[in-house]
Amino acid sequence: MNKKEVTVLNTKKVFSREVLVQQVVDNQNWDVIVIGGGATGLGVALDSVTRGFKTLLLEQSDFAKGTSSRSTKLVHGGVRYLAQGNIDLVKEALYERGLMLKNASHLIKNQSFIIPNYSWWDTILYTVGLKVYDLLAGKLSFGASIRISKKKTSKRLSTIQTKHLKGGVVYHDGQFDDARLAVNIAQTCIEQGATALNHFKVCKLLKTKEGKVSGVMAKDAEGGVEYQLNAKVVINATGVFTDEILQMDKFDAKNTVRPSQGIHLVLDRSFLPGDDAIMIPKTTDGRVLFLVPWHNRVVVGTTDTLLDSHSLEPKPLEKEIDFILETANAYLNKTVSRSDVLSIFAGLRPLAAPKDASEKTKEISRSHKIIVSESGLMTITGGKWTTYRRMAQDTINKAIALGKLSHKNCRTKDLRIHGADGSAEATNHLYIYGTDQKAIELLIADTPELAEKLHPRLEFLKAEVVWAVTNEMARTVEDVLARRVRILFLDAKAAQEVAPYVAHVLAQYLNKPQTWESAQIKEFTQLANQYII
């Protein structure tokens, strides 16, 4: 395909990297600089800019490259936290879940879950517990929980193990596409007037003579140019990389975060062919396991393993893979083997560092925490995707309370995220683009070859690659196949096979040489090997 043969419908020139970098060149002084482009940082940037503050967000890799693209794809209050008695966290999350459904209707959906019960006591326990869950959701409830018979449970979950099955409890929660929501929030930030840049690394904190943080030194990973940027407030929202920024501020700062790894296996839809998800509330070691329909596949996870180190690309441990396979096989009548796994991905949760090594990660609170250093650096840690908006609200409120920013009210409660459209039909996989779906269809109408599938066994189209690079700030093959078109997470071998085409399209639109194109293919192929078992 020749670039000249394609009419690029770049309806939002504001998403152009050239435009965004120029904003950094032209503006050395900001009200708020946010470090980190995951759910937390993007939420903070959106809250900040919608209150009228001049806002810059910088992400060292790609939006949601880390934890925020590697979740269990659930927008939920947390049934497990309810069992732990953390009522306030559950109530807050259920409220935010309702707002997410309203404000990002193209990506959030109401998902029914069934807890299969193998003892009468469990039936009573979960029926009562989930009624409390319903009550806490109030007016923003996704639907009432009900107890169902063994017959109905086995009918709705055709692959469930029926031996000793007593029945099930149905409840409702949210399901979503995490990385696509992150991209849409980044777009919303920019549309509201913020500057949000991926592949732009903060390498130093700037300070006044009095030792107060006054900005950052940041480097454009593409151009290699460094920028000195001043700000009234600098907010560290870097997840598992929190301590690296804190140690830029104070070299001997103690670690505040201990990464906990969670992995997920992705299977063919035949392992869970109905519309319901499965929630297994009590595995052999007390963890919760989910089997959730997602993009016409099934996501199975997660684990909870404390690690001593972190990276941008965490690797699944063999014991984690074995645990998920063994647990899934204990509940399914269709055996899952390693050869059935289409993709495997690992993510790191930024948990508060436990006081002693014996503390179990599943017992550490997921509540968020705002830390204000002596230098004035603000850090937001903890939390989860579902509460990203509230975390952001609390962070900017804290900056105002400290006198760093003028008083302005939060405006994100009713703010629609880019693409929000509740009328899209899920029968067409392009529904996840929401209001952008029409523009993609126009792109196809103008260049019919873009209607071709990227891969014979996948539903994704060539047009989506063009859209990712022209309108969604994708800069690498990984950006496209991991977080815009989610093929790496859905079928890693297929992702490797389409990488050359994606690299060629990117090279054409980004004006990159053949050497860059070849390097991208090699780099992505090596990366995708980690998603294959």
Side-chain angles (χ1 to χ4, degrees):
M1 179 186 66
N2 190 308
K3 178 185 174 183
K4 293 178 182 178
E5 295 172 0
V6 178
T7 300
V8 183
L9 286 162
N10 191 346
T11 55
K12 295 289 184 181
K13 288 292 184 185
V14 288
F15 300 142
S16 158
R17 187 175 186 84
E18 290 71 27
V19 171
L20 293 167
V21 171
Q22 190 60 45
Q23 290 169 5
V24 172
V25 173
D26 295 342
N27 297 280
Q28 275 75 54
N29 301 308
W30 302 82
D31 292 326
V32 177
I33 293 179
V34 182
I35 310 172
T40 306
L42 289 164
V44 171
L46 185 57
D47 188 289
S48 172
V49 72
T50 51
R51 295 197 203 206
F53 299 121
K54 191 176 177 183
T55 305
L56 171 65
L57 178 142
L58 301 173
E59 162 57 45
Q60 66 171 334
S61 182
D62 184 29
F63 304 119
K65 157 69 178 177
T67 308
S68 297
S69 62
R70 302 161 185 272
S71 73
T72 315
K73 320 307 175 194
L74 301 180
V75 177
H76 61 144
V79 174
R80 172 157 59 103
Y81 310 133
L82 183 63
Q84 293 172 1
N86 200 335
I87 302 295
D88 289 342
L89 176 63
V90 174
K91 192 172 182 180
E92 176 182 275
L94 287 171
Y95 177 77
E96 293 298 326
R97 180 191 71 173
L99 295 184
M100 285 178 76
L101 180 65
K102 181 178 69 172
N103 293 330
S105 52
H106 60 308
L107 290 174
I108 317 295
K109 75 166 205 169
N110 186 332
Q111 175 66 57
S112 56
F113 288 76
I114 297 179
I115 302 177
N117 300 146
Y118 292 89
S119 78
W120 292 116
W121 171 245
D122 282 349
T123 301
I124 297 168
L125 180 69
Y126 297 124
T127 300
V128 173
L130 287 164
K131 286 300 178 187
V132 175
Y133 196 63
D134 294 345
L135 189 65
L136 291 173
K139 292 179 181 178
L140 293 174
S141 171
F142 277 31
S145 59
I146 57 168
R147 189 173 71 184
I148 59 175
S149 66
K150 174 182 177 178
K151 185 178 179 180
K152 282 189 177 180
T153 302
S154 59
K155 184 178 180 181
R156 289 177 68 163
L157 301 175
S158 61
T159 53
I160 199 71
Q161 179 62 252
T162 56
K163 188 177 181 181
H164 303 305
L165 181 68
K166 306 299 181 187
V169 180
V170 182
Y171 74 99
H172 294 261
D173 243 326
Q175 190 261 7
F176 80 135
D177 188 311
D178 47 10
R180 286 218 52 85
L181 180 57
V183 170
N184 285 164
I185 295 172
Q187 290 173 306
T188 312
C189 287
I190 293 167
E191 289 172 332
Q192 292 290 326
T195 301
L197 279 159
N198 51 358
H199 303 285
F200 217 106
K201 184 179 174 67
V202 170
C203 37
K204 182 182 177 182
L205 297 177
L206 302 177
K207 292 190 176 183
T208 64
K209 291 179 181 178
E210 295 74 33
K212 299 297 182 182
V213 169
S214 59
V216 303
M217 285 289 292
K219 184 176 183 179
D220 182 352
E222 291 193 14
V225 180
E226 284 197 347
Y227 299 88
Q228 181 173 313
L229 303 162
N230 306 311
K232 294 176 182 176
V233 57
V234 175
I235 298 171
N236 174 15
T238 54
V240 294
F241 295 92
T242 291
D243 291 328
E244 292 183 10
I245 304 300
L246 288 173
Q247 284 153 14
M248 280 185 192
D249 177 40
K250 189 177 179 183
F251 76 93
D252 60 349
K254 292 183 179 178
N255 287 342
T256 61
V257 169
R258 181 79 183 274
S260 162
Q261 179 160 289
I263 77 159
H264 297 82
L265 308 183
V266 179
L267 308 174
D268 181 81
R269 195 76 163 86
S270 61
F271 288 93
L272 191 63
D275 296 326
D276 302 295
I278 298 175
M279 193 268 231
I280 299 165
K282 203 181 295 179
T283 60
T284 51
D285 66 352
R287 297 170 184 158
V288 172
L289 193 79
F290 290 98
L291 291 86
V292 186
W294 187 63
H295 287 303
N296 205 33
R297 280 86 176 167
V298 182
V299 174
V300 187
T302 181
T303 54
D304 220 342
T305 309
L306 267 181
L307 300 181
D308 293 319
S309 61
H310 59 267
S311 69
L312 272 170
E313 198 58 56
K315 296 179 176 63
L317 303 176
E318 287 298 315
K319 65 178 182 180
E320 293 180 297
I321 297 170
D322 291 340
F323 168 76
I324 289 182
L325 288 173
E326 288 167 9
T327 305
N329 282 324
Y331 285 86
L332 298 178
N333 58 33
K334 180 173 180 173
T335 304
V336 187
S337 66
R338 286 177 174 247
S339 63
D340 295 311
V341 178
L342 299 172
S343 184
I344 179 169
F345 59 93
L348 301 177
R349 305 175 192 89
L351 302 184
K355 294 181 176 63
D356 62 79
S358 64
E359 191 171 0
K360 295 179 180 178
T361 62
K362 65 179 185 294
E363 294 169 358
I364 298 174
S365 173
R366 296 296 197 270
S367 298
H368 60 275
K369 183 179 182 182
I370 299 169
I371 302 166
V372 182
S373 301
E374 288 180 16
S375 65
L377 173 69
M378 292 185 65
T379 299
I380 170 75
T381 65
K384 57 181 184 172
W385 243 120
T386 310
T387 56
Y388 87 94
R389 191 207 66 84
R390 178 57 186 269
M391 292 164 66
Q393 176 182 309
D394 290 352
T395 303
I396 299 300
N397 281 350
K398 182 69 173 178
I400 291 170
L402 291 169
K404 293 176 178 292
L405 300 170
S406 58
H407 180 78
K408 294 179 182 179
N409 293 327
C410 176
R411 294 182 54 220
T412 57
K413 184 178 171 184
D414 299 309
L415 181 72
R416 297 294 190 267
I417 301 303
H418 178 96
D421 176 15
S423 63
E425 287 292 328
T427 50
N428 181 343
H429 82 278
L430 292 176
Y431 78 90
I432 59 166
Y433 293 93
T435 54
D436 284 340
Q437 181 178 338
K438 291 177 182 177
I440 295 172
E441 289 169 348
L442 284 173
L443 183 62
I444 292 169
D446 191 72
T447 311
E449 70 183 78
L450 294 180
E452 295 171 10
K453 287 185 174 184
L454 276 169
H455 192 281
R457 67 171 178 266
L458 299 175
E459 61 269 36
F460 306 102
L461 310 178
K462 290 180 177 179
E464 295 176 74
V465 177
V466 175
W467 188 257
V469 66
T470 56
N471 286 275
E472 295 184 337
M473 299 168 283
R475 308 298 294 178
T476 69
V477 171
E478 183 195 339
D479 290 355
V480 174
L481 293 178
R483 290 170 293 278
R484 308 303 188 283
V485 185
R486 306 300 304 274
I487 298 176
L488 179 61
F489 283 70
L490 295 167
D491 190 330
K493 288 180 181 176
Q496 287 180 325
E497 291 166 22
V498 302
Y501 173 80
V502 175
H504 184 63
V505 173
L506 282 164
Q508 295 239 324
Y509 281 90
L510 302 180
N511 295 313
K512 299 291 186 180
Q514 177 63 47
T515 51
W516 180 91
E517 190 176 325
S518 300
Q520 278 288 302
I521 296 167
K522 182 179 179 182
E523 191 177 310
F524 181 79
T525 301
Q526 291 174 342
L527 171 74
N529 282 335
Q530 297 179 31
Y531 290 70
I532 299 169
I533 59 171

